[in-house]
Amino acid sequence: MFHTLVFVLEEAGKSIRRNGLMSFAALSTVTVALMVFGGSLFGLYRLHQFVASQPGRFRISVFLHVDQSRAATLELARRMRGLPGVESVSVVTKEQALADLRRKDERRQTNITAALGNVNPLPDRIDIRVSPPERSTAVADSLRDSKRYPQIEAVRDERALLEQLLATSRLVRNIGGSIAALLFLATGVVIQNTLRLTIFARRREIAIMRLVGATRALIRGPLVAEGVFYGVIGALLAGIALASVLTQSSRYLGRYQTPLAQGIPPGPSVPIMMGSLLAVGLILGAVTSWMAIRRFLR
Amino acid sequence: MRLDDRSAGPRPGFPRMIVFDNVTVAYSQERPALSGVNLTITDGAFTYIVGATGAGKSTLLRLVYCDLAPTQGAVIVDGVRLDGRRGCDVPALRRRMGVVFQDIGLLPDRNVYENVAFALRVIGAGHRKIRRNVPDALELVGMVHRPDAYPRQLSGGEQQRVAIARALVNNPPLLLADEPTGNLDPDTSMGIAEVLDRINQAGTTVVVATHDQPMVDAMQRRVIELSRGRLVRDEERGGYGASISDEA
């Protein structure tokens, strides 16, 4: 067993060294393929994160009757916190609402609050965030039941926009997932074809091994080890290149932060990205080299 | 078992090394490559298989090293009935025989010693066995003085000797050679024939498929002649045969 393992590793190492040009071609192809795969996957994941974060920014606004007492408002807010799916509840009193309106007046240079004189016609409001956002419509509908909630005057939930966003999020997730799967397959095919070339260069060795009674596992061993080497080293190089490109570009794009981009969860960290890429490289290297050898063992 | 441990003559238990029982091989609907062949090669024998191109010599050898299954009939090698590649343990069988081909030569990026040792390394042999067997095998084929030479530094005959050493290094009881002198001049061919004879004297059963008339005539060993897939002559001590012409 020990001799076999030594043989497998030595042969893989010798083959990589002896076929220098072929090894370089294989390694650079694997690196570029994994860079394209990793970069595209990162882009798709960030797009998905962005789209998926948008519905979470929506809230249900519940307007109470103007004549409600503050105590009744706070009691209603307390009841709402217990509703299933409700993540957070915040009370906006009529005084706060009027102050907000004044600020808007100043910003927009309008005179709505001045026209009101000393009367505050605004009601207390309760803002609710729902998680997951898909439950938003059900929560809003239950609040519209005037028998259970006679204190409520109106409920605004912007359901049409929310549903559009949720549909977009699903679409991005599904299309992104399909593209990622296709890219994975394409990367696998590229790596397999490259490894097939290196195996073709060693066909005489394989023929001799078969003639002298080497088992299939032993013939595969050095070639799979070689495939794993290209996969792992290619992933490492692709990871380093991607990490530096993404770090630089996010630093550059960071200067152009828009309100739209705020609140998106942070992207995957460099160690996680590197680890995932290494795992993909390892799996692709092993599986594709295993498959590439099959036809030479028939 | 060391090479010099191998005594001449049949080994007890397996007096019949190779048995063909009414073997037919048909690659297609056309004329079969082998048709109803019956033969027995005893342990320790030296046998030439002769015949024109396309007579079925290589097919016969392929059946023995289990690269091919008979369409009909049975092939028994060293006591094992071979029912085709799926049915037999090919690696285990091939570790009990050496195979020399004209077209599968040496690995160009390894020296003589490494080429011979390669056959032991791929079956998981340890360093001690390699250090012991490789010089023995090189000694037997007369190449022990050039272990560090690379194939490009060797003549055709020397390369073939190394290929024979590689086939023998695991001390198999059976050696198969398919046109081992195919590209060699007559003198070099005779040298290879003598090496094969020496190996046989050490107790190994040797089966050689060949076109090499001077070699067969000079050695006067058992000759099996095939023609169009049929066994047409089996002489205990014979020559190449005057009537053989290419049938392809």
Side-chain angles (χ1 to χ4, degrees), chain A residues 7-19 22-23 194-210 218-227 229-230 289 293 296-297, chain B residues 104 107-110 118 121-122:
Chain A
F7 171 78
V8 164
L9 295 178
E10 271 185 16
E11 285 301 310
K14 270 183 200 165
S15 167
I16 292 164
R17 278 199 310 276
R18 283 175 179 166
N19 305 314
M22 184 68 88
S23 306
T194 312
L195 289 176
R196 210 176 260 178
L197 286 177
T198 73
I199 293 167
F200 186 73
R202 300 176 63 180
R203 63 196 181 284
R204 180 184 282 198
E205 225 166 288
I206 294 171
I208 292 170
M209 287 168 97
R210 294 181 68 179
L218 203 107
I219 296 172
R220 277 198 179 106
L223 302 165
V224 171
E226 204 176 324
F229 171 82
Y230 292 132
S289 55
I293 303 158
F296 292 90
L297 288 180
Chain B
I104 298 185
L107 296 170
D109 53 356
R110 291 165 208 251
F118 185 71
R121 297 193 69 211
V122 299

Side-chain angles (χ1 to χ4, degrees), chain A residues 101-118:
Chain A
L101 195 57
R102 280 208 182 93
R103 277 196 291 278
K104 275 186 192 168
D105 260 352
E106 283 167 21
R107 206 167 58 237
R108 295 174 183 169
Q109 296 183 335
T110 50
N111 290 314
I112 299 168
T113 43
L116 293 173
N118 288 329

Side-chain angles (χ1 to χ4, degrees), chain A residues 50-66:
Chain A
F50 169 70
V51 176
S53 73
Q54 295 309 304
R57 302 170 72 182
F58 275 77
R59 60 187 182 198
I60 301 172
S61 297
V62 178
F63 297 93
L64 308 187
H65 288 294
V66 182

Side-chain angles (χ1 to χ4, degrees), chain B residues 123-205:
Chain B
I123 58 171
H127 292 300
R128 192 179 300 171
K129 186 174 183 183
I130 291 171
R131 277 198 299 271
R132 194 183 59 197
N133 284 27
V134 174
D136 280 354
L138 289 174
E139 173 87 50
L140 197 65
V141 299
M143 287 297 293
V144 76
H145 60 293
R146 301 200 67 187
D148 300 323
Y150 281 84
R152 64 178 179 279
Q153 299 168 316
L154 301 176
S155 68
E158 286 174 323
Q159 288 188 27
Q160 199 59 297
R161 283 167 189 258
V162 178
I164 293 170
R166 182 179 63 198
L168 280 176
V169 72
N170 195 31
N171 298 325
L174 172 63
L175 177 70
L176 305 175
D178 194 0
E179 301 287 3
T181 59
N183 292 327
L184 305 177
D185 62 70
D187 284 349
T188 313
S189 292
M190 283 312 297
I192 295 293
E194 281 159 16
V195 166
L196 293 173
D197 191 51
R198 214 161 46 233
I199 290 163
N200 176 242
Q201 293 299 320
T204 305
T205 308

Side-chain angles (χ1 to χ4, degrees), chain B residues 79-109:
Chain B
V80 180
R81 189 187 173 100
L82 310 181
D83 295 320
R85 284 194 290 180
R86 283 184 190 161
C88 71
D89 181 354
V90 178
L93 179 84
R94 289 187 184 166
R95 288 175 194 203
R96 298 210 299 273
M97 61 176 72
V99 185
V100 180
F101 279 108
Q102 181 189 330
D103 56 348
I104 298 185
L106 306 176
L107 296 170
D109 53 356

